[in-house]
Structures are given as C-alpha cells and as structure tokens.
Amino acid sequence: MISRAPLPPPPPEEPGPWPDHAAWLAERAEAMVELSRRGLSLGRLVALWLTGALAVVGWAAVGAAIQSFEGGGLGLMTGVVLLGLAALLLVPAAVAVGFWLSRGRLIRERLAAWAESAPERVTDLRVGAHRRSVMWLLPSVLLCLVGVWATGRALAEAVSGGVTGREPVTLGETAYALGLGGTLLVTGLLGLVPSVRHQYWSERLMRPTPVRGGGGAHR
C-alpha cells in the first residue's frame, strides 16, 4: 500500500540529456504528476490514520493509569505499568508524525522545484490530483468534526458531571476523552491541510497567465 520506490529526484540545475525543450517539459510534467500522486497517496493517508489509532490507544492507557492511581493500593503499580505502556505508544506515534510531515515537506519542495525549472505553466491536469484531494478531504473533515464534538463533550462533562445528578466523571475518563478528541482533531487537520494546500497551489500553477492588452494593433 505504501510505495517503497524512491521519489522522483529534484530537477538538475541545467537540463542535459533532453534533445529539445519539449522533451524537458514532458519530463517535468511526468515528475510532477508522480510527486502529486505520491504526496496524496492512499498509503500516506492510511499511515496517518494508523498513527492516530496508535495515539488513541496510548491515551486509553493514560486514562486507565490515572484511574489506577485514584484507586490507590496495588493500583499504583498498575498505574506505573500503564503509564509505561502509554509512553511506548505515544512516543512512537509522535515520531511517526514527524517523519510523515518531513516526507510531505520533501514532496512539496520537489514539486515547487520542478514547477520553477521552466517558465511555461503546467498544463497536465493530473498534477492537480483532484480525486486524490477529495479522497483526503472528506474523511479528514469528518475526523475534525468528530474530534471537536468529542473534545467539547469531554469538557462539558468534566464541568457539569457533578452538578446534573449523574455520577461524576473521573479524571481518567476526562483525560482519555480529551486525548481521543484531540487526536481525532489533529489527525483530521493533518489530512485536511495537504489536500486544500495542494488544490490551491495547483490551481494557481495551472491558471493561464492573463494577456495584458496593448491598446489596439498598430497598422
């Protein structure tokens, strides 16, 4: 699912092996299409979701650890073990997000370098990757909405749980709910931003340059 093939290299400073300028433009278009495809690939999106799921399990361990500490006694030892488990889950998730962001930044830089390697505008519509952008956009928006809802509900229950007559919400439950909502929101934003940014960038890149009128032809 995740491509292991290397990314197209950045453009050389001076075009060499291409027989003419048209061949250079064709090479530029193919490199940009591949970079656009890799930047918004299903594999990258699934990798982001799996990292988010890992973080959610980590926050569940944090919530269970806090509940164990609240219970006291032997629960203190259980809490320490659960905190260690949470660290084993959350730290790799954070590192994975860092690598994920670094990969995306590298792809954007190479796309920009290829776009600037020739003065002609890009005309290959595949560079826009519209279907892939939609594939990233819709579930990311859904994750953001669910994350906002979960975070808001956790905060509301933490504030009013002991006032409405229901059983008060424990600190562990609140920590897990906030971690869950925050993770879903961040995961959604990490998927939303590249999609919107690529569409905005590609539309500007492929937009025809307006021809300024010269005030009439000279005869």
Side-chain angles (χ1 to χ4, degrees):
M1 182 175 295
I2 299 177
S3 177
R4 297 181 179 273
L7 293 174
E13 295 182 1
E14 295 183 1
W18 291 268
D20 52 33
H21 191 61
W24 167 254
L25 293 179
E27 181 72 16
R28 180 182 74 153
E30 288 301 320
M32 295 186 68
V33 168
E34 178 64 14
L35 287 168
S36 298
R37 184 187 69 82
R38 298 281 287 275
L40 294 175
S41 68
L42 178 60
R44 271 180 55 79
L45 185 60
V46 171
L48 175 63
W49 291 346
L50 291 177
T51 304
L54 186 66
V56 167
V57 177
W59 281 110
V62 171
I66 294 176
Q67 288 182 327
S68 297
F69 288 137
E70 290 176 335
L74 294 177
L76 295 176
M77 183 62 67
T78 303
V80 171
V81 174
L82 288 172
L83 279 182
L85 176 62
L88 289 176
L89 295 171
L90 292 175
V91 172
V95 173
V97 169
F99 280 113
W100 190 89
L101 291 172
S102 177
R103 179 77 164 182
R105 182 170 58 251
L106 176 62
I107 293 174
R108 293 195 307 272
E109 290 173 350
R110 292 194 179 180
L111 268 172
W114 276 105
E116 296 168 1
S117 65
E120 289 84 357
R121 70 182 182 91
V122 176
T123 58
D124 195 325
L125 296 179
R126 293 178 298 169
V127 174
H130 299 298
R131 292 183 180 178
R132 292 178 179 272
S133 294
V134 173
M135 178 184 70
W136 278 55
L137 181 65
L138 296 182
S140 298
V141 170
L142 179 60
L143 281 177
C144 287
L145 293 176
V146 175
V148 170
W149 173 80
T151 302
R153 181 177 180 181
L155 291 173
E157 289 184 351
V159 172
S160 62
V163 179
T164 58
R166 297 179 302 172
E167 184 178 351
V169 179
T170 66
L171 182 59
E173 292 172 341
T174 301
Y176 169 66
L178 290 175
L180 171 65
T183 299
L184 293 178
L185 178 58
V186 170
T187 303
L189 288 174
L190 288 176
L192 174 66
V193 171
S195 172
V196 174
R197 179 170 48 201
H198 183 81
Q199 284 302 296
Y200 178 73
W201 175 81
S202 62
E203 287 179 5
R204 289 182 56 195
L205 182 69
M206 293 185 287
R207 185 181 303 154
T209 303
V211 178
R212 185 174 300 176
H218 294 283
R219 297 182 183 273

